[in-house]
Amino acid sequence: MVKNVFLIILMVLSLNADNTDYSIYNLNCVQCHSQLPVSIDKYFYKYLLKYSSERDVKKAMFDYLKNPTSEKTVMTESFITRFGVKKKTNLNDSKLRNAIDGYWDKYKIFGKLK
């Protein structure tokens, strides 16, 4: 009985979930990254150091997530050896771009410094 109530509540919440960039990012990115020893914000800063601009960071992330390879990653060789290259995303292009936009908006430093 408790399981059924829980499942119903979960279904209602998922139906009412908004489709904003940040929620797509939370639902599809944060869960996996929370299981890794490197926090998700560290990936952002690695991309920013390597690619500099918003456009280039987003393009590099999109390309990597659509077709992950060790040549495209910003992670160190030791990290790849230990954890491997991530699996290809199951998000369609639109949702992936929205998730990357949400990620960018959360961690960007531009416009936040005073």
Side-chain angles (χ1 to χ4, degrees), residues 3-40:
K3 285 183 182 180
N4 290 340
V5 171
F6 179 76
L7 288 174
I8 292 170
I9 291 171
L10 189 59
M11 287 177 14
V12 169
L13 289 174
S14 67
L15 289 173
N16 291 329
D18 62 30
N19 205 26
T20 64
D21 297 347
Y22 190 67
S23 67
I24 293 171
Y25 155 74
N26 274 328
L27 291 171
N28 294 283
C29 306
V30 174
Q31 291 176 355
C32 289
H33 280 271
S34 67
Q35 299 170 10
L36 295 173
V38 177
S39 63
I40 197 166

Side-chain angles (χ1 to χ4, degrees), residues 52-66:
S52 301
S53 72
E54 178 178 357
R55 185 193 74 216
D56 291 345
V57 166
K58 287 181 176 182
K59 181 182 181 332
M61 291 177 78
F62 182 88
D63 292 344
Y64 176 72
L65 294 168
K66 290 300 278 187

Side-chain angles (χ1 to χ4, degrees), residues 37-54:
V38 177
S39 63
I40 197 166
D41 62 323
K42 301 297 187 251
Y43 292 90
F44 180 83
Y45 300 121
K46 286 181 176 286
Y47 270 100
L48 195 56
L49 281 171
K50 185 170 182 178
Y51 295 101
S52 301
S53 72
E54 178 178 357

Side-chain angles (χ1 to χ4, degrees), residues 87-100:
K87 294 178 184 165
K88 183 178 176 178
T89 184
N90 59 0
L91 295 174
N92 65 35
D93 289 0
S94 175
K95 285 189 177 188
L96 179 57
R97 289 187 198 288
N98 287 341
I100 291 170

